């Protein structure tokens, strides 16, 4: 029985996995801690490896409260941002910023989470990688108490000069 069955063509298309590494810090100082205030900015530097040149991607990020493992909500809204870019190389570094009112957050540790989407079909973005690790020190920024300013003494009189005795 010399029956030939054609099973189709096998291809070995390799889809490289995209790796993501991130470091969050205070925009103003580059430090891992920020003094609580009405407008603070955390900048997350994201290194992506395995991108496809020419493909449009969207990075979505948001802040989490470490102690609660919950999204940071300020004024009823999630603290989030997104960045859309076209890959010019297979490995790229991008920055995404989160500006928010942190005046009530002293003592809290915030952790930045991200998801990266392939936007080739904008109607159906495809998630290609994510970074969501609540214990990642690289992603953690601590909000510090506002340092107290010492009171200026009100009495600025100079000390009395001892009198000299003449004979």
């Amino acid at each position: 029985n010399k029956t030939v069955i054609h099973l189709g063509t096998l291809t070995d298309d390799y889809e490289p996995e995209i790796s993501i590494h991130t470091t969050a810090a205070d925009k103003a100082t580059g430090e891992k801690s920020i003094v609580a205030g009405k407008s603070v900015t955390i900048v997350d530097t994201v290194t992506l490896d395995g991108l496809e040149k020419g493909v449009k991607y969207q990075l979505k990020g948001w802040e989490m409260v470490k102690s609660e493992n919950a999204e940071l909500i300020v004024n009823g809204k999630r603290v989030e941002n997104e960045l859309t870019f076209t890959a010019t190389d297979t490995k790229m570094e991008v920055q995404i910023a989160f500006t928010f009112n942190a005046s009530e957050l002293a003592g809290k540790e915030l952790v930045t989470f991200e998801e990266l989407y392939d936007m080739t079909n904008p109607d159906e973005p495809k998630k290609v990688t994510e970074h969501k690790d609540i214990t990642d020190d690289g992603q953690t920024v601590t909000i510090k108490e506002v340092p107290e300013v010492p009171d200026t003494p009100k009495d600025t009189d100079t000390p009395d000069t001892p009198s000299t005795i003449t004979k």
Side-chain angles (χ1 to χ4, degrees):
N1 177 345
K2 298 203 177 223
T3 307
V4 176
I5 300 173
H6 184 65
L7 296 175
T9 305
L10 297 176
T11 58
D12 190 17
D13 287 338
Y14 169 69
E15 290 234 4
E17 190 171 304
I18 296 175
S19 68
I20 183 170
H21 178 76
T22 64
T23 305
D26 177 7
K27 180 180 182 183
T29 65
E31 299 292 320
K32 299 294 288 172
S33 60
I34 297 178
V35 175
K38 284 194 164 80
S39 180
V40 300
T41 300
I42 292 175
V43 170
D44 195 24
T45 302
V46 182
T47 304
L48 299 160
D49 197 1
L51 299 173
E52 193 177 327
K53 284 185 194 178
V55 171
K56 189 179 207 178
Y57 292 96
Q58 184 175 61
L59 182 67
K60 293 185 178 193
W62 61 96
E63 294 299 322
M64 298 283 288
V65 180
K66 187 173 188 174
S67 61
E68 301 165 19
N69 194 13
E71 295 175 351
L72 173 62
I73 306 294
V74 175
N75 296 329
K77 293 182 180 169
R78 179 167 104 151
V79 175
E80 62 186 346
N81 201 358
E82 58 189 45
L83 172 71
T84 302
F85 64 95
T86 300
T88 55
D89 206 340
T90 56
K91 184 173 184 175
M92 289 181 64
E93 185 177 276
V94 296
Q95 291 190 325
I96 187 167
F98 306 89
T99 301
F100 55 97
N101 181 344
S103 54
E104 304 295 319
L105 299 173
K108 298 271 188 205
E109 288 183 304
L110 304 181
V111 183
T112 308
F113 278 16
E114 295 94 6
E115 294 175 340
L116 182 69
Y117 292 86
D118 178 330
M119 301 298 287
T120 302
N121 179 351
D123 296 331
E124 291 181 33
K126 182 174 108 181
K127 183 163 60 168
V128 291
T129 191
E130 64 182 29
H131 189 270
K132 300 178 187 174
D133 181 358
I134 200 74
T135 63
D136 185 343
D137 288 339
Q139 283 305 99
T140 305
V141 173
T142 304
I143 307 294
K144 297 189 302 190
E145 298 274 351
V146 177
E148 287 191 29
V149 178
D151 291 336
T152 308
K154 291 176 179 64
D155 184 11
T156 55
D157 291 347
T158 51
D160 294 336
T161 310
S163 51
T164 49
I165 301 171
T166 51
K167 292 185 186 179

